[in-house]
Amino acid sequence: MTERELTAAGITDPRLRADYAHCRRLNARHGRTYFLATRLLPADRRPAVHALYGFARHADDLVDHPATGSSTADRARALSALHRNLQNGLRGDPSPEPVVRAVAHTVAAYDIDHAHFADFLTAMRMDLVVTDYPTYADLRSYMHGSAAVIGLQILPVLGTVVPRHEAAPHAAALGVAFQLTNFVRDVGEDLDRGRVYLPADLLAAHGVDRALLRWSRDTGRPDTRISQALAAAAELTRGVYREAAPGLAMLDPVARPCMRTAFVLYGAILDAVREDGYAVLHRRAVVSRRRRAATALGGLARSVAARLTARPPAAPRERTPQPAQKESA
């Protein structure tokens, strides 16, 4: 299937095909829900999504899964090196990183704003030093780079039936909703990394602080205050999904089944957390295979119908990489 996708996307260079295949493997291994939804895109658009995911995953791994013995300073240097490699790649210079070569090709093909990647890497650097967020406003500032820009990066690949700037706020909101969902599900795992992403003021409103979370995680004992705080965080997240929802109808019809499937499956994670009694400090909530399969099959039916009625897609523009735009550090 990889070969067919790459051929459909017009990617013929053997090295570049290998780079995209590497990104696809990262997506399949680490982003199960996202990868499942991506399968509903037309074949020619999937490699670009894999490249965007692969780059983001590689950067995230430098922060959260470094080589044994790596210090914070080592991880900061690795991120800086990745940023330099990306800047060089966007200028058309050779890069030693497969994910950079693939994503630079995608950026050129779909005319994606370089600033989105600078903002993303800034958020990754924050994860090296910031361990909690006093307010939701503080968290949203972080999530602009860690999540909103992911939605903005993928929007040109998906395509829209309205001017792109009209769909952009909804795409950004969907990226935030997905990440907030992960924060609710992964409270325990994040705590083990020394981070609490849920805003301190939201937790405090229910009598929860880091010490109580740590106690519950270490002892395996529940606490109603934690359950109430997590329920509030889940409701906050559902509100962001509502912000994002109007954007689904603004997408190219052949891309809508993909994003609607992702929308439903990520939202179902919140349902799974609730159904498991908000026990995320003690075990990971998962969406049942039956529900995942049913959602995917529904998305597949909509995808087939959309492609049967769609006009033949225009091939992505192959652009010569331009000089890098000015980026924030």
Side-chain angles (χ1 to χ4, degrees), residues 121-296:
L121 290 171
T122 295
M124 293 300 96
R125 292 188 190 95
M126 289 177 65
D127 272 337
L128 296 176
V129 295
V130 179
T131 59
D132 52 44
Y133 294 87
T135 68
Y136 182 55
D138 295 319
L139 182 63
R140 283 297 290 249
S141 179
Y142 162 76
M143 288 192 297
H144 166 73
S146 65
V149 297
I150 303 299
L152 297 174
Q153 289 170 14
I154 197 175
L155 188 60
V157 179
L158 300 176
T160 62
V161 294
V162 300
R164 191 185 298 174
H165 71 270
E166 292 183 19
H170 304 292
L174 190 56
V176 170
F178 288 168
Q179 187 167 63
L180 280 171
T181 300
N182 289 340
F183 288 162
V184 171
R185 181 194 61 192
D186 298 339
V187 172
E189 295 171 26
D190 291 331
L191 188 63
D192 290 344
R193 297 188 181 104
R195 302 189 200 121
V196 177
Y197 285 107
L198 299 183
D201 58 351
L202 182 150
L203 296 174
H206 299 276
V208 178
D209 58 15
R210 180 188 288 261
L212 182 61
L213 294 174
R214 187 74 263 171
W215 170 85
S216 181
R217 178 74 167 170
D218 291 343
T219 64
R221 295 173 62 182
D223 188 290
T224 57
R225 292 169 294 178
I226 294 175
S227 298
Q228 291 167 357
L230 289 168
E235 186 54 36
L236 175 68
T237 303
R238 293 188 189 280
V240 183
Y241 278 105
R242 289 191 287 273
E243 291 177 34
L248 296 174
M250 299 179 182
L251 298 175
D252 184 335
V254 297
R256 290 174 198 166
C258 164
M259 295 313 298
R260 187 172 297 280
T261 297
F263 184 98
V264 172
L265 287 177
Y266 268 93
I269 294 172
L270 295 177
D271 295 336
V273 169
R274 183 190 65 238
E275 291 161 5
D276 197 33
Y278 298 99
V280 291
L281 282 164
H282 314 128
R283 54 185 174 268
R284 188 181 181 91
V286 296
V287 179
S288 70
R289 289 184 179 180
R290 178 177 296 181
R291 184 165 185 180
R292 287 167 57 86
T295 302

Side-chain angles (χ1 to χ4, degrees), residues 31-56:
R32 292 189 308 162
T33 298
Y34 198 67
F35 183 76
L36 178 62
T38 301
R39 301 287 297 144
L40 300 177
L41 280 175
D44 64 310
R45 303 191 201 184
R46 295 175 204 162
V49 177
H50 297 322
L52 293 169
Y53 180 94
F55 178 81

Side-chain angles (χ1 to χ4, degrees), residues 17-32:
R17 287 170 75 94
D19 297 335
Y20 273 100
H22 173 71
C23 293
R24 186 183 188 275
R25 287 192 295 272
L26 288 175
N27 195 348
R29 185 182 311 129
H30 299 290
R32 292 189 308 162

Side-chain angles (χ1 to χ4, degrees), residues 62 73-83:
L62 291 178
D74 292 332
R75 288 180 284 169
R77 283 191 289 270
L79 279 176
S80 294
L82 178 63
H83 195 174

